[in-house]
Amino acid sequence: MFDLETEALLETFPTHQEYSHMVTFGPDEETAYVANIGSDSVTVVDADERRVVADPPVGEGPEGFAVDPDTGELLVANQDDDNLTVLDGGSYEETSTAMLGTTPVRLVFDPAGRYALTANRESDDVSVIDTAFVRDGERRPWEVKRIPVGIWPGGTAFDPSGDRAFVANNKTNDISVIDTESFDEVERFDAGIHPDGIAYRAD
């Protein structure tokens, strides 16, 4: 944990897991989550009390993940299982799974919290997850579409309106623009060599 104003290191949190990688905060900004690719788990950290709360198991090779802003559920993309694990936001128990494309590496929610996108690195596409989908009489996140994009998609970001999403394609050196009404790629523009991380700056 860092103090961003002073750039001082405040504290470290050993996960005791293998290959701890991606980190994100929940909507409360008090709970942090760490994907542990080598241990097939997610570490939950109480940043306010500065302690590790749990290490719930997920699928194989978890990497991309995000917290549903409405339900508090944690959606985890497992790159070696090619699927999604959904964890309850309170108990951190698995509540459902869903298939994705091949090697999902990033997962982001749209600003409204209804849809999430995963960039699937080896199948060169993006999975659209409807977080309010009803299956077998129960609401559960579910893949409803797969969008072809460039080669080796990775970083993904929405504009503030949620009307468009942008996907960095690492091997074609370009950015896919996705219209979120149709969930189709509507444009592609050149980027630098091997783009991966991406963010949208709203002035």
Side-chain angles (χ1 to χ4, degrees):
M1 179 182 291
F2 287 89
D3 184 316
L4 295 182
E5 291 185 359
T6 65
E7 300 182 0
L9 174 63
L10 300 178
E11 196 161 350
T12 60
F13 302 93
T15 63
H16 303 294
Q17 306 290 297
E18 294 183 6
Y19 200 176
S20 299
H21 186 42
M22 305 290 288
V23 180
T24 192
F25 272 85
D28 62 6
E29 298 185 352
E30 295 179 356
T31 307
Y33 304 89
V34 185
N36 306 304
I37 296 176
S39 297
D40 304 332
S41 65
V42 173
T43 295
V44 183
V45 177
D46 186 322
D48 188 35
E49 297 185 5
R50 302 188 181 184
R51 63 184 179 89
V52 173
V53 175
D55 299 299
V58 289
E60 293 186 7
E63 184 168 354
F65 61 109
V67 179
D68 188 315
D70 295 324
T71 67
E73 293 173 319
L74 184 64
L75 274 60
V76 184
N78 304 302
Q79 60 180 324
D80 295 332
D81 271 345
D82 302 333
N83 70 2
L84 177 78
T85 298
V86 182
L87 300 178
D88 180 86
S91 66
Y92 304 115
E93 294 182 355
E94 180 182 309
T95 59
S96 65
T97 61
M99 293 306 299
L100 300 172
T102 306
T103 315
V105 293
R106 296 291 183 271
L107 189 151
V108 295
F109 275 90
D110 77 326
R114 171 64 190 271
Y115 293 97
L117 301 181
T118 65
N120 304 312
R121 179 145 285 173
E122 297 295 335
S123 53
D124 303 329
D125 53 27
V126 172
S127 293
V128 181
I129 303 164
D130 183 347
T131 64
F133 191 83
V134 176
R135 183 176 177 84
D136 300 328
E138 296 183 359
R139 186 206 63 78
R140 57 186 298 188
W142 199 254
E143 183 195 54
V144 293
K145 188 171 183 177
R146 213 170 281 176
I147 309 166
V149 290
I151 299 175
W152 248 53
T156 304
F158 284 89
D159 69 13
S161 69
D163 293 337
R164 296 176 299 170
F166 303 86
V167 183
N169 301 307
N170 190 276
K171 300 300 185 184
T172 42
N173 303 328
D174 53 25
I175 307 295
S176 292
V177 182
I178 295 173
D179 177 88
T180 58
E181 183 174 355
S182 63
F183 282 116
D184 290 320
E185 182 190 63
V186 295
E187 183 183 355
R188 199 181 294 180
F189 58 86
D190 293 336
I193 297 175
H194 301 321
D196 191 5
I198 188 172
Y200 189 98
R201 177 180 174 180
D203 291 327

